[in-house]
Amino acid sequence: MLNGTFTPSEEAKNFSSAPHFNKRSTPVTVRFSNSTGIPQIPDTDPNANPRGIAVRFNLGNHVHTDIICHSTPFFPTRTGAGFLEFLRAAAASPPGTASPSPIEAFLGSNPSALAFVQAPKPAPSSFAKEVYFGVNALKFVNTEGKSVYFRYRIVPDAGEESLDDAALKEKDSNFLYDELPKRVAEVPTSFRILAQIAEEGDVVDDATVHWPGSRPLVELGFLQLESILQNNDKEQKYIIFDPIPRIQGIEPSEDPLLEMRAAVYLISGRERRTA
């Protein structure tokens, strides 16, 4: 995990009364991750995609709010129950399973899950050269009480860069985690935090649904990575990121995945702390 600073844009305070959009800057804690939740999964494993980023805005003693994004711009299922069914079908379909396998049957009857599986997921050359998407809609509320639904997007200032299969084969199993501290120590490493703004009639309670590309992107601010967190290994075991904002100025939508994700992350974090 890394220390950093978030500096809001002038426009951010027009959308939300959240403290970090209305003060000069806010210290942040940032964690990058591979998919699956398996701690030792190689960075070169195709199952390590999509990659993730979590940003904690440290607003005071035990006061914070988080952003959690990953590098595929949608989710395979609308509900937690559907995602569990997806995982069970995949687990019941090891190589050599007769066709139609459980996962083939599941994907055949769930177009959103099929779209997620088939979506390109190239490995990035660096965690700092990947675009990350918030899959759940949230709601901004400003000081005048005006509200609008949005999804986060985090875009690297270094540009997006992925590796082809040949280049990936040349990489070490921990290349992303080894590269990032060196990059942060040697060159400015930063991102722009954006919000894609929904329009009237857009679906805001289903993480499988894309919004049209014509929906505006608003820049919320600048995220600068500065150093590796002290006691990094200990802090990684302790921290539990929360997909629900739990702060004034940003509210959850009715997306059923939000409560499920928060509950699962809490259980996972508690088990990690006691491991």
Side-chain angles (χ1 to χ4, degrees):
M1 291 196 300
L2 299 104
N3 298 304
T5 300
F6 172 74
T7 304
S9 68
E10 282 297 317
E11 196 168 8
K13 62 187 178 184
N14 296 328
F15 284 89
S16 173
S17 63
H20 53 299
F21 295 143
N22 289 272
K23 58 195 299 188
R24 178 168 295 181
S25 65
T26 299
V28 297
T29 304
V30 181
R31 184 183 69 189
F32 294 91
S33 60
N34 290 328
S35 188
T36 73
I38 301 172
Q40 303 304 322
I41 188 170
D43 295 347
T44 52
D45 190 322
N47 293 315
N49 290 301
R51 316 292 168 158
I53 186 174
V55 182
R56 170 154 294 177
F57 299 86
N58 298 300
L59 302 171
N61 191 26
H62 302 297
V63 180
H64 57 260
T65 190
D66 301 336
I67 297 175
I68 302 173
C69 298
H70 71 201
S71 58
T72 300
F74 60 103
F75 204 70
T77 63
R78 182 174 183 268
T79 66
F83 188 57
L84 180 58
E85 187 180 353
F86 174 45
L87 295 178
R88 285 174 171 167
S93 307
T97 302
S99 183
S101 66
I103 190 61
E104 288 172 339
F106 180 85
L107 295 176
S109 58
N110 291 272
S112 63
L114 180 62
F116 179 86
V117 169
Q118 293 180 336
K121 301 178 187 68
S125 64
S126 168
F127 281 129
K129 289 194 169 186
E130 181 67 279
V131 177
Y132 303 91
F133 302 87
V135 297
N136 302 114
L138 302 171
K139 183 167 69 173
F140 282 143
V141 182
N142 67 13
T143 55
E144 298 175 352
K146 182 180 178 180
S147 64
V148 64
Y149 286 97
F150 73 97
R151 285 177 174 144
Y152 284 115
R153 188 174 303 181
I154 301 180
V155 178
D157 285 327
E160 187 176 8
E161 182 179 66
S162 58
L163 301 175
D164 60 25
D165 291 343
L168 188 61
K169 288 180 180 178
E170 300 298 320
K171 296 293 185 179
D172 294 331
S173 62
N174 211 46
F175 80 97
L176 290 173
Y177 288 101
D178 290 341
E179 186 268 350
L180 189 62
K182 297 176 184 177
R183 173 183 291 272
V184 171
E186 294 173 0
V187 298
T189 305
S190 57
F191 295 81
R192 304 287 166 165
I193 299 182
L194 312 177
Q196 185 185 32
I197 306 300
E199 294 187 0
E200 190 72 28
D202 286 342
V203 176
V204 297
D205 62 353
D206 188 342
T208 70
V209 176
H210 293 263
W211 294 341
S214 59
R215 298 297 180 259
L217 285 170
V218 175
E219 184 170 324
L220 301 175
F222 176 76
L223 175 64
Q224 178 75 50
L225 303 183
E226 294 165 352
S227 63
I228 300 299
L229 198 67
Q230 287 188 343
N231 302 315
N232 187 36
D233 291 343
K234 177 182 177 181
E235 293 298 327
Q236 287 207 45
K237 289 187 66 174
Y238 180 79
I239 197 165
I240 302 173
F241 289 96
D242 189 351
I244 298 177
R246 306 186 197 278
I247 194 169
Q248 72 168 39
I250 312 174
E251 298 179 0
S253 66
E254 295 299 318
D255 188 331
L257 278 177
L258 282 166
E259 290 289 351
M260 183 278 293
R261 291 179 70 192
V264 169
Y265 294 167
L266 184 60
I267 293 169
S268 174
R270 287 173 173 172
E271 290 185 352
R272 189 170 61 246
R273 290 176 179 181
T274 60

